[in-house]
Amino acid sequence: MKTAPFKFLDAYEQKDKEVFFGRDQETDDLYDALSGVKHLLVYGPSGAGKTSLIECGLRNQFSDADWFALSIRRGNNINAAVYKTINQALEDPIFLDPDTQLPIDDNIDFGKAIEQLFEERFQPVYLLFDQFEELLISGEDTEKEKFFERLNDLIRYRVPCRVLLIMREEFIGHLSEFEHLCPSIFQHRFRLEKMRKENVKEVIFQLLESPFYKDKFFKVENSQQLADAILDQLPDKKREIELTHIQVFLSELWDKAYKQMTSPNLPLLNAQLITKDDSLEGVLDSFLKKQLTLLNDEYGKDTALEVLAVMISKDHYTKLQLTQDEIQKKLPKEVREILNLSNLLKHLQSKRLIRILQGDKTQYEVSHDLLAKVVGQNRTENMQLRDQAIDVYKVYENAKSHLSQDNLDQIRPFQKYEPYP
């Protein structure tokens, strides 16, 4: 079956300029906010479209002569990720330690690495740290401290380089811990808000009428009426909308229209495709449950959910970047022993629940933080109790005295949940 043309859970990229709607003012404001500053903290709620604003909106504001932008994710270590990303752009790469992936020469800090890149390209360098909260959630203490020390040196370095830290706003408070290492971390900020309901209506209409979509991937009957019908699936009190939900909802409508085709024409999108049970706010939850039901038939009840659950952080429901081996080790024993994980990962990718990250090692992650949150909310009672058991065991494993009867009574409800791996 063909897939819908909409972005679904993927962020917009530079090549998507012609179908990136509704953020012209924010793009201009972000461009202005960068004027005259060496670093900028870009933050907002999950689902506001921060990555799309940077990778599509902002990138298309610059000419190639104006900037050379490197997008960086933490991976296993954010400091190593910086050097690795710079090395990929260098003609004469820096020698890195094969174990730490850091420069063999300790004198090569971020500034000197950027200076070498500038000398080769003669373009101002921009470092775009996407999903920067990953460092604050998963990073080691030493990794964090080294990064903020190097960042502080970099933003005072003479080479033309600007840094954007792009993150979810609920984690901003975690930065305070490192303000003594980088005192100006909060000095320059830009907040991206979720889009208002009235603006989203215009975005939907523009997507449906876009010549890059319409009459190429679908036909549409009364785009204005369909846009109204989609927004009617949102509770009246809801004034702000996650743009990701719109993309998923449109993709689900396209799938419905495709299945109803009676001739080799294009799918027809219209308001009649929407039923009273469709929910714009709950579209990700229903999408996840539908895909998991299909996977249960092949892999066993809750097996796919078990895999997705180990790919998110338990406390914040944020997505993690993991190799297949790392996923395998995190799975409970009874799942690990019977599961063909390689096949399931391919199925999860084909159903757009996860994406593959290619690098030195192939990694996997849940397709979006909003989806990661939905996965967390769908964890079964058994999964939740098992996670509680792990936490309980850790407490008592570190106990320095014998357990009392009360202690034993507290552990007893969890005894059937064997810690894993």
Side-chain angles (χ1 to χ4, degrees), residues 70-88:
L70 299 174
S71 296
I72 302 172
R73 290 277 301 277
R74 173 184 173 262
N76 293 322
N77 183 293
I78 196 167
N79 298 294
V82 173
Y83 291 110
K84 174 186 173 183
T85 305
I86 292 172
N87 251 7
Q88 290 171 342

Side-chain angles (χ1 to χ4, degrees), residues 222-276:
N222 197 330
S223 297
Q224 198 67 62
Q225 183 186 45
L226 180 53
D228 287 333
I230 290 173
L231 288 185
D232 284 345
Q233 302 308 114
L234 197 70
D236 291 338
K237 63 181 180 180
K238 191 84 170 179
R239 301 304 304 165
E240 294 180 329
I241 302 174
E242 287 86 353
L243 295 176
T244 303
H245 289 176
I246 296 296
Q247 295 291 340
V248 175
F249 198 91
L250 285 170
S251 296
E252 292 285 273
L253 286 184
W254 188 93
D255 288 345
K256 279 187 185 180
Y258 184 85
K259 291 175 182 176
Q260 292 181 13
M261 287 170 51
T262 57
S263 61
N265 295 320
L266 294 173
L268 176 64
L269 303 184
N270 57 43
Q272 288 68 47
L273 291 168
I274 302 174
T275 70
K276 61 181 179 62

